[in-house]
Amino acid sequence: MSKIVRNALIGLFWIAVWWIAAAAVGLPLLLPGPGDTLSALFRLMKTSAFWQSTFSTLLRVACGYGCAVVLGILLAIGCHFIRVMEALMSPIRSVIKATPVSSFIILVLLWISKGTVPAFISFLMVLPIIWTAVQEALRATDGQLLEMTQAYHFTPAQRLRYLYAPSVKPGLAASCITGLGFAWKSGIAAEVIALPLFSVGTNLYNAKIYLESADLFAWTFTVILLSIALEAMLKKALGRLKGGAA
């Protein structure tokens, strides 16, 4: 309860700062206050387009994120055990890490439909995070334990279950949480540029174009709330998996 009260007080403090700043500016077009933003949010929530846009964005980001986690694990395993694969694939990982997300968005708009761009961008941003974390965890596996599994003639499946899986789990869990934030932000950014039908990013862009500042803040508030909720749910799910495995 003390943690809940503390977080509530911190939230009220920053809402008060926001309210004071909006009152000082005195121009809702530039900085709408908390009341205007909440009114706009409640108005938007009464429309079917709000929920359709939110669900579509969640679906796109979830598809890209899920594919990145699966492929990142597979690439990490392959690059760890196959030297040739590591030599061939590591430049791709470096290129993905170094290229700005806006460049990727503009490039892939030339090749795929605008409705697929956000999912693909989320996939690209998460892939190197999972890939690197899992591969580093595999490299850090205790060499003495590896020798023990060889001495006792563990099968590959037993080695994976009893040696590599416990070693990889902490790094994989942390990278999944970090990657979720990147997937969410990059997916929204891709929607703002690609403007797919029914998306949070498209509504953000339209609110900015038509100078609907309260709506712009309301959609931004929605993005923040969804990000917090998704991260909390992922942490809870990972905690349950960890507890079940223990």
Side-chain angles (χ1 to χ4, degrees), residues 41-53 219:
L41 179 61
F42 290 142
R43 173 173 51 80
L44 290 171
M45 290 175 65
K46 294 178 182 179
T47 65
S48 59
F50 174 88
W51 298 105
Q52 191 169 0
S53 298
W219 281 109

Side-chain angles (χ1 to χ4, degrees), residues 39-73:
S39 297
L41 179 61
F42 290 142
R43 173 173 51 80
L44 290 171
M45 290 175 65
K46 294 178 182 179
T47 65
S48 59
F50 174 88
W51 298 105
Q52 191 169 0
S53 298
T54 303
F55 178 76
S56 297
T57 295
L58 286 170
L59 184 61
R60 293 186 187 103
V61 173
C63 288
Y65 176 78
C67 291
V69 171
V70 173
L71 185 59
I73 293 173

